Amino acid sequence: MINWVLLFISIALVVTGFLWRRKILLKPDSDEVTSKRIERNKLVATVAIVVGGFLFTTRLLTIIFGSQNEPLEFSLWPNRVQVFGFSLSYTIIFTWIAMAALIIAALIIRLTVFKHPKEKPSGVQNAIELIVESVGNYTDAKAHGTGEFLCSYILTIASLLIISAFLELFRLRPPTADITMTLSLAVMTFIFINAYGVKKKGVLGRLKSLASPTPLVFPFRVISDLAIPVSLACRLFGNMLGGMIVIDLLYMALGNNAIGIPSVFGLYFNVFHPLIQTYIFVTLSLTFIDEAIE
């Protein structure tokens, strides 16, 4: 009964707001004070239409499908699926999807935009070159003298992290919400840290740097270096998992009212927040590499 009452109230709000706004728009222009009042009334009428439309949609869905308050079900580890007799986690499958998307995009760009590159770039070519140049300058500024290969690695990792995060926009669990995925990326960074350190100083030089300024700190430096991949992995995993749980909690709490509202929060947790985490992961990786070669 309450849903029907709210449904008729929502209809009344939409109709009233629409007629009010139409009446305001038909009024002739007037002085500045009156114009401000008219703009305020237009805003109120628009809010009435939006609120009424939202209320109408949610109540109508409740009347048709009933209450949709589902309990929150969460697992620390992603589900698994059988593929050709192999048990694969969704993390692996979604990572393959993200990798395939990047490979296909790279092939399309290579066969179209850069098939006949222009000396004076414009359009898509200009945008891509600007991205590559920006990443290259940032890599060189944070880890000077590491060469172009590290820039390629950083750009690839950043692209993979961003594409993985965008999968959550389709209500899929992002690979970065799995500790095994983030730990794999962190271990790769750890390998690069020591590889560049050995390349720059040699094996003995790298060991001596861990024993600086006194050999007494050597075991502590080794422990702190071994903690780097754990720190990188847990930071990225915790932040991405937390964002996913917040969105799921919103859906659970709102039920049938989860129309549009989770999408607004998703713009932060699925777009802006992953970009921040990607920036942090990349910056910390470059910082640790720079420490190893300085």
Side-chain angles (χ1 to χ4, degrees), residues 126-148:
N126 191 29
I128 294 174
E129 290 188 6
L130 180 62
I131 293 173
V132 174
E133 183 180 356
S134 299
V135 174
N137 292 337
Y138 187 76
T139 302
D140 189 62
K142 292 295 182 180
H144 182 68
T146 50
E148 295 182 355

Tab-separated table of all heavy atoms in Angstrom, residues 126-148:
chain	number	residue	atom	x	y	z
A	126	ASN	N	48.932	12.265	-32.248
A	126	ASN	CA	49.433	13.299	-31.345
A	126	ASN	C	49.138	12.939	-29.894
A	126	ASN	O	49.988	13.113	-29.009
A	126	ASN	CB	48.793	14.641	-31.699
A	126	ASN	CG	49.461	15.794	-30.989
A	126	ASN	OD1	50.646	15.726	-30.680
A	126	ASN	ND2	48.713	16.845	-30.709
A	127	ALA	N	47.932	12.416	-29.626
A	127	ALA	CA	47.558	12.050	-28.265
A	127	ALA	C	48.416	10.904	-27.741
A	127	ALA	O	48.891	10.935	-26.597
A	127	ALA	CB	46.081	11.664	-28.217
A	128	ILE	N	48.651	9.886	-28.588
A	128	ILE	CA	49.455	8.736	-28.171
A	128	ILE	C	50.898	9.146	-27.928
A	128	ILE	O	51.520	8.745	-26.923
A	128	ILE	CB	49.372	7.624	-29.231
A	128	ILE	CG1	47.945	7.073	-29.297
A	128	ILE	CG2	50.356	6.498	-28.906
A	128	ILE	CD1	47.729	6.076	-30.403
A	129	GLU	N	51.443	9.946	-28.830
A	129	GLU	CA	52.828	10.401	-28.645
A	129	GLU	C	52.955	11.266	-27.389
A	129	GLU	O	53.977	11.226	-26.694
A	129	GLU	CB	53.288	11.172	-29.880
A	129	GLU	CG	53.492	10.299	-31.103
A	129	GLU	CD	54.128	11.050	-32.254
A	129	GLU	OE1	54.517	12.220	-32.053
A	129	GLU	OE2	54.236	10.464	-33.349
A	130	LEU	N	51.923	12.039	-27.092
A	130	LEU	CA	51.948	12.864	-25.885
A	130	LEU	C	51.948	11.992	-24.633
A	130	LEU	O	52.685	12.268	-23.674
A	130	LEU	CB	50.735	13.794	-25.871
A	130	LEU	CG	50.604	14.729	-24.656
A	130	LEU	CD1	51.805	15.672	-24.590
A	130	LEU	CD2	49.303	15.514	-24.734
A	131	ILE	N	51.154	10.913	-24.636
A	131	ILE	CA	51.113	10.001	-23.496
A	131	ILE	C	52.465	9.327	-23.304
A	131	ILE	O	53.001	9.268	-22.187
A	131	ILE	CB	50.004	8.947	-23.690
A	131	ILE	CG1	48.618	9.603	-23.642
A	131	ILE	CG2	50.098	7.858	-22.634
A	131	ILE	CD1	47.486	8.673	-23.990
A	132	VAL	N	53.019	8.797	-24.391
A	132	VAL	CA	54.313	8.112	-24.314
A	132	VAL	C	55.407	9.065	-23.855
A	132	VAL	O	56.250	8.718	-23.003
A	132	VAL	CB	54.666	7.485	-25.679
A	132	VAL	CG1	56.078	6.903	-25.648
A	132	VAL	CG2	53.655	6.399	-26.048
A	133	GLU	N	55.402	10.275	-24.407
A	133	GLU	CA	56.416	11.264	-24.020
A	133	GLU	C	56.278	11.652	-22.550
A	133	GLU	O	57.286	11.784	-21.839
A	133	GLU	CB	56.283	12.498	-24.896
A	133	GLU	CG	57.348	13.565	-24.623
A	133	GLU	CD	57.197	14.777	-25.510
A	133	GLU	OE1	56.312	14.778	-26.387
A	133	GLU	OE2	57.959	15.748	-25.319
A	134	SER	N	55.044	11.807	-22.075
A	134	SER	CA	54.818	12.180	-20.672
A	134	SER	C	55.301	11.079	-19.735
A	134	SER	O	55.959	11.351	-18.721
A	134	SER	CB	53.334	12.468	-20.440
A	134	SER	OG	52.891	13.541	-21.243
A	135	VAL	N	54.965	9.821	-20.069
A	135	VAL	CA	55.412	8.694	-19.239
A	135	VAL	C	56.928	8.579	-19.274
A	135	VAL	O	57.578	8.320	-18.245
A	135	VAL	CB	54.751	7.382	-19.706
A	135	VAL	CG1	55.322	6.191	-18.938
A	135	VAL	CG2	53.243	7.447	-19.517
A	136	GLY	N	57.514	8.788	-20.447
A	136	GLY	CA	58.967	8.731	-20.561
A	136	GLY	C	59.650	9.808	-19.733
A	136	GLY	O	60.646	9.534	-19.046
A	137	ASN	N	59.137	11.027	-19.789
A	137	ASN	CA	59.715	12.119	-18.997
A	137	ASN	C	59.564	11.858	-17.497
A	137	ASN	O	60.478	12.125	-16.712
A	137	ASN	CB	59.050	13.444	-19.360
A	137	ASN	CG	59.382	13.892	-20.774
A	137	ASN	OD1	60.407	13.488	-21.345
A	137	ASN	ND2	58.532	14.719	-21.353
A	138	TYR	N	58.399	11.335	-17.103
A	138	TYR	CA	58.174	11.056	-15.681
A	138	TYR	C	59.089	9.934	-15.204
A	138	TYR	O	59.656	10.010	-14.108
A	138	TYR	CB	56.713	10.663	-15.459
A	138	TYR	CG	56.342	10.523	-14.015
A	138	TYR	CD1	56.137	11.653	-13.222
A	138	TYR	CD2	56.193	9.272	-13.440
A	138	TYR	CE1	55.801	11.533	-11.885
A	138	TYR	CE2	55.859	9.128	-12.103
A	138	TYR	CZ	55.656	10.268	-11.331
A	138	TYR	OH	55.330	10.137	-9.994
A	139	THR	N	59.246	8.890	-16.032
A	139	THR	CA	60.135	7.778	-15.671
A	139	THR	C	61.568	8.257	-15.532
A	139	THR	O	62.276	7.894	-14.587
A	139	THR	CB	60.051	6.665	-16.734
A	139	THR	OG1	58.702	6.214	-16.842
A	139	THR	CG2	60.945	5.494	-16.364
A	140	ASP	N	62.016	9.064	-16.480
A	140	ASP	CA	63.390	9.563	-16.441
A	140	ASP	C	63.611	10.503	-15.258
A	140	ASP	O	64.696	10.541	-14.676
A	140	ASP	CB	63.703	10.286	-17.747
A	140	ASP	CG	65.175	10.643	-17.865
A	140	ASP	OD1	66.007	9.719	-17.882
A	140	ASP	OD2	65.492	11.849	-17.934
A	141	ALA	N	62.569	11.260	-14.882
A	141	ALA	CA	62.700	12.182	-13.749
A	141	ALA	C	62.774	11.426	-12.421
A	141	ALA	O	63.511	11.832	-11.522
A	141	ALA	CB	61.528	13.155	-13.727
A	142	LYS	N	62.025	10.338	-12.310
A	142	LYS	CA	62.002	9.573	-11.056
A	142	LYS	C	63.128	8.555	-10.963
A	142	LYS	O	63.582	8.235	-9.861
A	142	LYS	CB	60.651	8.854	-10.912
A	142	LYS	CG	59.470	9.778	-10.686
A	142	LYS	CD	59.585	10.496	-9.352
A	142	LYS	CE	58.382	11.390	-9.104
A	142	LYS	NZ	58.468	12.098	-7.807
A	143	ALA	N	63.567	8.023	-12.107
A	143	ALA	CA	64.654	7.034	-12.119
A	143	ALA	C	65.561	7.359	-13.299
A	143	ALA	O	65.473	6.735	-14.363
A	143	ALA	CB	64.093	5.622	-12.220
A	144	HIS	N	66.402	8.349	-13.125
A	144	HIS	CA	67.231	8.876	-14.211
A	144	HIS	C	68.236	7.827	-14.681
A	144	HIS	O	68.865	7.123	-13.888
A	144	HIS	CB	67.991	10.119	-13.740
A	144	HIS	CG	68.817	10.748	-14.809
A	144	HIS	ND1	68.263	11.368	-15.908
A	144	HIS	CD2	70.165	10.827	-14.959
A	144	HIS	CE1	69.234	11.822	-16.684
A	144	HIS	NE2	70.397	11.506	-16.127
A	145	GLY	N	68.370	7.737	-16.013
A	145	GLY	CA	69.387	6.872	-16.600
A	145	GLY	C	68.981	5.418	-16.719
A	145	GLY	O	69.839	4.547	-16.915
A	146	THR	N	67.690	5.100	-16.636
A	146	THR	CA	67.246	3.704	-16.705
A	146	THR	C	66.935	3.261	-18.133
A	146	THR	O	66.732	2.072	-18.381
A	146	THR	CB	65.997	3.494	-15.832
A	146	THR	OG1	65.025	4.492	-16.140
A	146	THR	CG2	66.362	3.604	-14.359
A	147	GLY	N	66.856	4.189	-19.077
A	147	GLY	CA	66.623	3.821	-20.464
A	147	GLY	C	65.150	3.721	-20.825
A	147	GLY	O	64.264	3.879	-19.988
A	148	GLU	N	64.914	3.429	-22.109
A	148	GLU	CA	63.547	3.400	-22.631
A	148	GLU	C	62.788	2.149	-22.227
A	148	GLU	O	61.559	2.140	-22.211
A	148	GLU	CB	63.580	3.501	-24.162
A	148	GLU	CG	64.120	4.830	-24.677
A	148	GLU	CD	64.081	4.899	-26.192
A	148	GLU	OE1	63.715	3.869	-26.808
A	148	GLU	OE2	64.411	5.950	-26.742
